Amino acid sequence: MPIPKQRHTSSRRDRRRSHHSLKELNLNVCPHCGKSVLPHTVCSNCGYYRGRQIFDVLAKLDKKQKKEKAKELANQTKETKENKPISLADLSKK
Ligand SMILES: [Zn+2]
């Protein structure tokens, strides 16, 4: 097994680790259901991207789960239609 030639100082070790911190996720709000989504990604909650349905969220669920999910989605889409979707201009003002 190789042996280090020289001891690294705590300063050198800490400088190396200065890049190890995690960055905060940059999340957008889904304009269809209002959940937070990664940018350029299909919403996993409602299956929509750029105003189109990409996949059916209810397809793989049981009958009971389907009913609950459909109800939940109906409520979410209602709420987002009542509240105007947040635009980039509004966000930059704050
Ligand atoms: Zn969504």
Side-chain angles (χ1 to χ4, degrees):
M1 210 177 124
I3 297 163
K5 203 170 192 177
Q6 241 179 347
R7 178 183 185 273
H8 285 181
T9 62
S10 55
S11 164
R12 187 176 165 148
R13 179 204 62 205
D14 292 348
R15 261 186 288 137
R16 182 181 68 238
R17 290 182 187 174
S18 72
H19 305 284
H20 289 190
S21 68
L22 294 172
K23 279 176 193 153
E24 201 176 317
L25 279 178
N26 179 29
L27 293 173
N28 289 347
V29 176
C30 173
H32 190 254
C33 70
K35 289 252 177 177
S36 36
V37 231
L38 286 170
H40 309 285
T41 312
V42 178
C43 177
S44 59
N45 183 55
C46 63
Y48 272 72
Y49 182 67
R50 302 188 90 193
R52 286 193 306 137
Q53 190 173 24
I54 306 300
F55 66 90
D56 189 8
V57 186
L58 306 174
K60 281 190 175 177
L61 297 175
D62 304 339
K63 255 191 181 175
K64 212 175 179 184
Q65 287 175 316
K66 233 180 225 182
K67 236 182 178 178
E68 286 172 12
K69 185 77 181 173
K71 226 179 186 180
E72 197 184 306
L73 281 176
N75 280 336
Q76 285 168 349
T77 47
K78 246 187 218 170
E79 283 170 17
T80 48
K81 273 174 191 170
E82 284 167 8
N83 308 329
K84 287 175 191 170
I86 302 163
S87 67
L88 284 175
D90 296 333
L91 289 174
S92 59
K93 275 177 197 170
K94 291 172 189 173

